[in-house]
Structure formats: C-alpha cells, structure tokens
Amino acid sequence: MKLRQKIIFLAIAPLILALCAIAFAVRHQAISLGQQQRVEIQTAYLASKEAELKHYVTLATRSIAHLYDSGRSDPATLEEAKAILAKLDYGNDGYFFVYDMQGNNLMHPRQPELVGHNLWDMKDVNGSLTIQHLIERAKNGGGIERYLWKKPSSHQIAPKLGYVIALPKWGWMLGTGIYLDDVDEALNKIDAQVSGNISSTMLWIAAIAILSAVAVGLSGLVLNLSEHRVADAKLKVLAQRVVRSQEEERARLSRDLHDGISQWLVSIKLQIEAGIIKLGGGARQAAAAQATFERTASQLNHVLGEVRRISQDLRPAILDDLGLAAALDHLTHEWVEHAGIPIEFSASGGTDGISDVANTVLFRIAQEALTNIARHAQASRIVMQLQGDQQAVSLTVRDDGTGFDVDQIDGNPKRGIGLRNMVERLEAVGGQLRLNSSSTGTSLLATIPCTSPTNSPYA
C-alpha cells in the first residue's frame, strides 16, 4: 500500500469507527428505552384489564347465585340462568359465554350459531386448542387466559384476554373477555414512533458519515490517487480463473480419455492380436478368432459411444441445431442411462429472448448440477424444469438427496468450485443463481433476464 493510500486509510478508518460506535450506542439506547416503555404500558394496561374481567365474572356469578345456590339443575333452571347471563353485556364486544366441560357451547349471545356445537377440537390460526385451554384453566381454579377469537364488531380475528371460572354443580365453564386489538394498536404506535426516531437518528449519522467520507475522498483526489493497480490485480485474478478453468477442463478430458477410451483401445488391441494368432490355427481356432473379432467389434461400438459422449460434453451439436430444450432433454436421457437416476424433465415458454452464449451457460449449469448430484447427493429422483417468458429464462434442478450446508461450502476456498463456476458463468451474462439445501434435498434456480421478447415455444 502506497503512503498516500495509508494516509487516507488512517484518516477515514477512525472516523468511520467512531461514527459506527456512536450509531450503535444511540440505536441500542433508543431501542432499550422503547422496549422498556412498551413493557410498562402493556403491564399496566393488562393488569387493569385483568382486574376488570375478574369483577365482571364476579357480578355475573352473583346475578345467578340465587339459582346456583338453590341446588336445582333442571333444564328450566339452567335455561333461566343462561337467559340472565345472555343479557349481561358491556359494549359492542363485551359479553359472557358458557360451555360444558366437554367443550359444547351452551350460550353465546354474539355468535348464536355456535350454540349446541362441540368446539373441543377447535384450533385458532396458530394451531392452539382454544376451548381446551379455557376449560383446563377453569378446572384449575379459574383465571386469565389469552387466546385468539373473532371480534363481533369487526368480524376479524383479534387477540383476546379472557377470564373463566368453573361452576361444578352444573358442569359449566363461565367466562368473559376483552379484545386486545386496541392495546396492540397503541403499542404498535409506540413501536412505530420509536422506530421512526431511530431511523431519523441513523439517517443523520449516515449523512454525517457520508459528508465526512466525501471530504476525505476529495482530499484524496488532490493527491491524485490512482486505481490502476486495483484494476490490474482484478485482471490478474480473472486471468488466473480463466487459466484454472481451462486446466480443469483439460484435466477432465484427459481423465475421460485415459480411463475410458485408452483402456478400451488397449483391450481391443490385445484381442485383435490374439485373434490374428488364432487365425493361423485350425478350424476350432478360426471359430474362436471370429468370436474374438465380434467381441472386439462390440467394444469398438462402446468406444464410439464414449467418443460421442465426450464430444457432447465439450459442445453438444444438438444445442446449436435444435435449441436448449432439446439439448437438455437429450442430456437427461443420456444421464439416466449413465447414472441410473430417474430425471423428470419439462420445458415451457421459449429462449429466443436470451443469447446463444446464455443458452450455453444454462446447459453447462445443468451438466454441473447433475455431476454434483451424482457425486454427493445420493439422490433417488431429480426434477429439471426450463421456463421462459418475456422477462427471463430460468432453469430449476431439484433432487431428494442428503443436501449440504451452503454457508460452509461458500466459506471453504477448497470446496464448492463447481458452484462458484456456476455463479461466475451466470454473472458474465447478467444472470443470478439461487441455491437452497436441506436434509430433504437441494434446489438450484438459475435465472437469466431476456434482452428481447420471446414468442416461439419449446414444444
């Protein structure tokens, strides 16, 4: 690092660190005070509501005390008690409700359609068994229970603070409640105000930081700083990546030739030599030589197939002749024969909106994805989808394999070379790669935006 670069760094670094520390302290203090204020208001409000609900239930029990203490539990007495409770209300959304201990609704003045229905297994949007929890609270001596319920005035699901008690002589659960959307609204206003204040403060700090950085940058311009070295370094890194990619491709081609074609040719050579020797013998030897040459011809067919496979890997002619969809369909069929993993391929839309280079990029990504699945995923099924519209062309590859930790792969320079190659290929044509992986499988989505409208379909 040059001296003038060090000077600018030493000027900017302490300034940015100080502003960041100030911003962190201010933000932490503001959030802490806001949370404290919110908790205090919520605690005081809920305490008052709990006492209010308890008084309401006490008044309700007193209104039917003459019936309950009489010892009668005949239908007429119970209906009279329910009629008294149904008339007790406070406001549009204040009412009493009655259930038996099996979850049957016996009285509900605001939702009469519930009367006579068993709501024991009813769940709210969060999956909570509301009636079971209320009955359990009543059996344990009564008290406060918070849950979600439809608000009669708005017909919307809202949080509710309920108070329930048990009437064991009649097998009833009696309760009432207050909807808490008003307190939630007040608390949300407090949160919004605190958040606005924090954002405003952060904007001021950011503005100060930007102005300070600009001032230092202008001072740096006076020193005529140049970024040629940075650009040269980037070019060197890019050149190294190109050379590395070429060497990796050559190494793969060399392995294919050595492990496949070379071994087949050596075997064929030995069999031909053996067949020539057998031709010099009798009729039995000649028949054996014929069998040897037939086996050799069969092996030559395998060699030709291997040559075609390597040729397809280098540059599939079908990609230029019939397009990306046909090339991918051919690739999946060859892959099923080669790897034995079922692949479900589908294509819709068109690829006229992207360049030939972009088509090649998507084809290479499909090859790399299938190679990674075969090597690491232990998958039993693969789904490949190609979709194109007027905005973009996307390729999706999903498998049901073991998955992997994406963050761990990205953070390890010696692993995930294939994934980095995919990202670099897509970035070169303006695309992007999304990757999700878990223990149930991996999903890869490569998207390239269109440069012109697409009209022709794949099939």
Side-chain angles (χ1 to χ4, degrees), residues 122-130 147-149 156-159:
M122 187 191 74
K123 297 181 179 179
D124 62 16
V125 295
N126 296 326
S128 177
L129 294 168
T130 303
Y147 58 98
L148 298 176
W149 199 263
Q156 300 293 326
I157 300 298

Side-chain angles (χ1 to χ4, degrees), residues 153-296:
S153 60
S154 64
H155 302 288
Q156 300 293 326
I157 300 298
K160 188 175 183 179
L161 188 70
Y163 189 92
V164 294
I165 62 170
L167 300 177
K169 292 181 181 179
W170 291 347
W172 282 8
M173 175 192 71
L174 170 64
T176 187
I178 297 176
Y179 290 92
L180 299 176
D181 49 350
D182 53 345
V183 66
D184 289 340
E185 182 178 355
L187 294 174
N188 290 335
K189 288 182 179 179
I190 294 174
D191 293 340
Q193 184 178 3
V194 171
S195 178
N197 293 336
I198 294 175
S199 299
S200 177
T201 303
M202 293 300 104
L203 288 175
W204 276 105
I205 295 176
I208 294 172
I210 291 172
L211 291 175
S212 302
V214 169
V216 174
L218 292 175
S219 301
L221 290 177
V222 176
L223 298 174
N224 194 21
L225 293 175
S226 175
E227 296 187 355
H228 290 304
R229 295 185 64 184
V230 176
D232 291 340
K234 291 182 178 179
L235 288 175
K236 289 180 181 179
V237 171
L238 181 59
Q240 291 173 357
R241 288 182 179 177
V242 172
V243 172
R244 183 183 63 192
S245 298
Q246 291 177 342
E247 292 301 324
E248 289 175 353
E249 187 66 19
R250 289 171 181 171
R252 185 188 65 80
L253 182 58
S254 175
R255 286 194 300 270
D256 288 342
L257 292 174
H258 179 270
D259 297 341
I261 295 177
S262 177
Q263 294 182 7
W264 281 109
L265 291 177
V266 170
S267 176
I268 290 170
K269 174 181 176 294
L270 294 176
Q271 291 186 51
I272 290 175
E273 292 175 349
I276 293 173
I277 294 173
K278 292 177 181 179
L279 286 175
R284 180 176 299 178
Q285 291 292 328
Q290 181 179 355
T292 300
F293 288 136
E294 290 176 353
R295 186 166 57 253
T296 302

